Amino acid sequence: MHKLVVLYPKPADPDHFREYYVTNHLPLVTRMPGLLAWRYSFDVAAAQGQTPYFAVFEAEFADAAALKAARASSQGQQVAADVPNYATGGAVVIDYPVQDGTG
């Protein structure tokens, strides 16, 4: 499995972010080809002090090639182009292969 994680710093207008994200952005995300699962939260906490992030999103794909294809698709390009409409604080995007834990 391959995971995509997006970390969102605090936006200028948190209420607009929440409303737009749920109403407009997430429906675009769900149309990305190869998307196996997704989840998000506006309740990001840090172990110590204040977290630098307002929200987090994670998505799962079968492998890196599936993620690459999803991001290159017209749906993926729509998703990327939509980010400035709500994420005035920017976005940190990372991806990585998931290693299963044992024992």
Side-chain angles (χ1 to χ4, degrees), residues 3-93:
K3 190 168 281 205
L4 170 75
V5 173
V6 184
L7 301 167
Y8 294 100
K10 186 174 181 180
D13 184 346
D15 291 333
H16 170 73
F17 182 109
R18 284 185 194 94
E19 175 66 26
Y20 190 94
Y21 191 74
V22 171
T23 304
N24 298 296
H25 190 71
L26 289 176
L28 294 176
V29 169
T30 63
R31 297 195 322 244
M32 291 178 71
L35 180 65
L36 300 176
W38 59 276
R39 52 196 69 79
Y40 72 97
S41 180
F42 297 131
D43 298 314
V44 180
Q48 296 179 355
Q50 285 191 317
T51 178
Y53 301 110
F54 171 76
V56 62
F57 171 84
E58 60 182 66
E60 296 173 1
F61 293 86
D63 52 32
L67 172 58
K68 183 177 179 180
R71 293 182 80 182
S73 71
S74 62
Q75 297 93 331
Q77 291 174 15
Q78 256 190 313
V79 167
D82 190 49
V83 173
N85 292 325
Y86 64 91
T88 56
V92 177
V93 181

